[in-house]
Amino acid sequence: MVDGNPFAKALELILGLDQVLVGIVTLSLQVSLTAVLTAALLGLPIGAAVALYRFPGRALVVTVLNALMGLPPVVAGLAVYLLLSRAGPLGSWGLLFTPTAMVIAQTMLVFPIIAALSRQVVEDLWEEYREQLQSLGASRLRAIPTLLWDARFSLLTGVLAGFGRASAEVGAVLIVGGNIDGVTRVMTTAIALETSKGNLPLALGLGIVLLFLVAMVNATAFLIGEGAKRRLG
Amino acid sequence: MVTRVRTLAGRIQLRALLVVIITLALTVPAQTGDRYITLASTTSTEQSGLFAHIIPRFREATGIDVRVVAVGTGQAFSIGRRGDADALLVHDPAGEEAFVADGYGSERRDVMYNYFIIVGPRTDPADIAGVENAVDAMSRIAGTRSAFASRGDDSGTHRAELRLWGLADIQPSGSWYRELGSGMGPTLNTAAGMDAYAVADRASWASFRNRQNLVLLFEGDDVLLNKYASVPVSPRRHPHVRHELALRWHRWLLSDQGQQAIAEFRVDGQAVFFPGAD
């Protein structure tokens, strides 16, 4: 009973500018980009700080950050679910089954990637420029923004890896968002839903649309990076 | 000059991108309005399109929106117990009664019904197509050790399947009995992929599009009756639930208008839910 070609379906979806699909795509981008933005604002400085400062338990922090890059989305989802559920500690906020809950869950998934990668990148740079920066009298705190700015192209790749994780995951948003039609349904949960209805061409068509979106975001980032490099070069 | 223009263009691009991202972030829809309830329900009701048919009618009549979280019945009870839904529409009478008896639900009322069915490969290796009753069909599947795909997810359909094995006095186990731990749709996808038998609800089957060699082999035994009931979550356990709005939904489902909306719903021209308010 497989009727229809998924590529034709994808094209039809994109060209038809279906109202429901536009809503789902917008929400997907909003949730994932917000999560990446939040995770970057937290992860870049924290990763750099862990790179520069020596403190007891630092090895543990580095190991945990690296390990959390492999945090299964369904576990992150479950943790946020228990936190935000009415019976949980933050239940009174009433955030379960809202887009905000999905942003929180995805931020948990993206933060370790950005923090761990910036820790590595900044640590390597610090090894290289340490004497130079210290001879200029820069403290470690002052060195953080300098090093982050200097490493921005490498860090951009880390941020994009984070975006890839956020836009690809389904386990966390399904649990904390509930896949509510018109409220918390995003691309990945819509694909899972159509797959379970046996509507495979439509599911794959949606998958192609998602890939296309992710490619667009990456291409934009790449072009901006290239443009900036050319300015410098 | 050219370089400067390009630099400027680059900066504007970057700023524009940041502005876009931040705007997107700030416009993430927050809680909108108070006129909605959260309904925990089953995958069969959502995936068949029933809610897309009846919720707009309810919204038109009352101005209240219904946000459906579609999960297995077991998980729906757990969502209700934690106070994360305002009402349930599920299909496990024993579980619903326990939910009300424990003080989590304010009352339980039958809303609609259909029948479970047994689907399997066209070749029908257990030869269940012409049997007298559902218990016989299950016995033959077990007797011939034909592949059987079980939901295994504590859903209403899974509980119904376990009841059937109980009636047949069989404890299913062995390599032919495959517990999938997934929803109705994924279970049908898997059954189609490995030519296995499965117990399904009529609504999910009617709207399922990846049947391959899977066909409906047995239906029409009273023991396969599948009743859906509405249970508003009680404000006694969870004072924050939107009980007033949930009660309006509950009463509307039982009203002539609600019952008619259910009766009019069709999948490919076929009625898959029958109004059954008690």
Side-chain angles (χ1 to χ4, degrees):
Chain A
M1 282 261 315
V2 177
D3 49 332
N5 172 330
F7 289 96
K9 265 285 193 287
L11 206 63
E12 192 185 306
L13 286 169
I14 294 172
L15 295 180
L17 268 183
D18 177 60
Q19 220 35 55
V20 176
L21 181 68
V22 171
I24 291 175
V25 165
T26 314
L27 186 67
S28 295
L29 284 177
Q30 278 181 329
V31 168
S32 295
L33 287 175
T34 310
V36 171
L37 189 72
T38 317
L41 288 176
L42 296 169
L44 292 173
I46 290 177
V50 175
L52 297 194
Y53 288 95
R54 295 290 173 272
F55 50 90
R58 180 176 176 276
L60 185 69
V61 170
V62 171
T63 311
V64 167
L65 273 184
N66 286 342
L68 284 180
M69 287 200 283
L71 180 67
V74 66
V75 174
L78 194 56
V80 175
Y81 176 86
L82 292 173
L83 207 61
L84 297 182
S85 165
R86 289 289 181 174
L90 305 179
S92 57
W93 294 4
L95 285 178
L96 194 66
F97 304 140
T98 65
T100 311
M102 298 156 82
V103 171
I104 295 171
Q106 290 200 341
T107 304
M108 269 182 63
L109 290 173
V110 176
F111 169 78
I113 295 185
I114 296 182
L117 291 179
S118 26
R119 200 270 315 157
Q120 186 64 55
V121 168
V122 171
E123 197 164 300
D124 293 347
L125 264 188
W126 178 239
E127 292 302 318
E128 206 173 321
Y129 293 116
R130 180 181 199 155
E131 284 180 13
Q132 208 177 334
L133 282 166
Q134 281 180 337
S135 71
L136 290 170
S139 67
R140 283 170 201 257
L141 190 62
R142 292 283 298 278
I144 287 178
T146 313
L147 290 172
L148 281 177
W149 180 247
D150 215 55
R152 62 193 177 283
F153 300 118
S154 312
L155 294 176
L156 181 64
T157 307
V159 171
L160 286 176
F163 175 74
R165 175 131 154 116
S167 58
E169 72 88 18
V170 59
V173 284
L174 190 60
I175 295 179
V176 303
N179 193 22
I180 300 171
D181 190 11
V183 183
T184 55
R185 184 162 299 164
V186 291
M187 291 299 287
T188 51
T189 57
I191 292 168
L193 177 67
E194 292 305 330
T195 305
S196 64
K197 283 159 120 175
N199 215 336
L200 305 188
L202 179 58
L204 198 51
L206 285 166
I208 294 169
V209 175
L210 178 61
L211 269 177
F212 176 73
L213 278 174
V214 173
M216 292 296 285
V217 170
N218 278 277
T220 312
F222 177 76
L223 286 178
I224 287 175
E226 285 299 297
K229 267 185 204 156
R230 216 180 308 131
R231 284 204 302 275
L232 288 176
Chain B
M1 185 62 198
V2 174
T3 336
R4 202 182 296 158
V5 170
R6 204 182 280 155
T7 311
L8 196 62
R11 280 213 190 118
I12 291 172
Q13 239 177 34
L14 189 64
R15 292 233 175 105
L17 185 78
L18 271 177
V19 169
V20 168
I21 291 180
I22 290 168
T23 317
L24 274 173
L26 291 178
T27 53
V28 170
Q31 295 273 60
T32 46
D34 256 357
R35 304 280 292 168
Y36 72 86
I37 59 166
T38 302
L39 175 72
S41 188
T42 68
T43 48
S44 53
T45 41
E46 164 82 351
Q47 296 189 1
S48 63
L50 175 75
F51 286 127
H53 175 80
I54 65 171
I55 287 174
R57 286 165 174 72
F58 172 68
R59 193 168 45 217
E60 206 170 292
T62 60
I64 302 164
D65 202 5
V66 181
R67 297 182 173 181
V68 181
V69 178
V71 291
T73 290
Q75 200 187 338
F77 285 134
S78 139
I79 288 176
R81 265 200 197 94
R82 302 183 64 90
D84 293 324
D86 306 305
L88 310 183
L89 184 66
V90 287
H91 62 147
D92 177 43
E96 291 143 18
E97 268 151 27
F99 189 80
V100 173
D102 292 346
Y104 291 103
S106 58
E107 66 163 346
R108 173 203 177 278
R109 295 286 299 274
D110 283 328
V111 170
M112 59 188 188
Y113 67 92
N114 60 17
Y115 288 90
F116 291 113
I117 54 174
I118 305 176
V119 300
R122 202 181 296 278
T123 50
D124 193 11
D127 198 19
I128 66 165
V131 296
E132 286 285 298
N133 57 53
V135 172
D136 268 2
M138 299 300 267
S139 302
R140 284 189 184 210
I141 294 169
T144 55
R145 301 177 61 82
S146 303
F148 183 93
S150 167
R151 291 279 294 272
D153 65 346
D154 195 31
S155 60
T157 306
H158 183 220
R159 292 177 183 188
E161 177 217 310
L162 293 180
R163 256 199 320 277
L164 288 177
W165 292 122
L167 288 173
D169 210 10
I170 292 169
Q171 282 185 330
S173 67
S175 61
W176 61 276
Y177 185 74
R178 294 159 192 179
E179 277 193 73
L180 303 180
S182 38
M184 191 74 257
T187 300
L188 288 173
N189 274 331
T190 309
M194 59 189 192
D195 282 335
Y197 289 92
V199 171
D201 67 279
R202 166 163 303 278
S204 297
W205 173 251
S207 50
F208 184 67
R209 295 279 168 266
N210 181 34
R211 293 180 186 175
Q212 301 176 41
N213 280 323
L214 223 50
V215 290
L216 197 170
L217 289 172
F218 184 85
E219 63 179 330
D221 184 340
D222 283 345
V223 76
L224 295 177
L225 180 64
N226 178 22
K227 290 204 280 189
Y228 290 83
S230 168
V231 185
V233 174
S234 167
R236 246 180 257 154
R237 287 263 189 177
H238 293 291
H240 67 267
V241 295
R242 301 172 169 182
H243 191 57
E244 281 308 311
L245 300 184
L247 275 182
R248 291 187 65 182
W249 161 253
H250 181 67
R251 291 191 194 118
W252 182 85
L253 283 174
L254 303 169
S255 73
D256 290 345
Q257 208 188 353
Q259 292 283 296
Q260 199 190 340
I262 292 168
E264 282 165 7
F265 173 63
R266 294 280 184 283
V267 174
D268 294 338
Q270 184 190 2
V272 290
F273 292 106
F274 304 97
D278 47 12

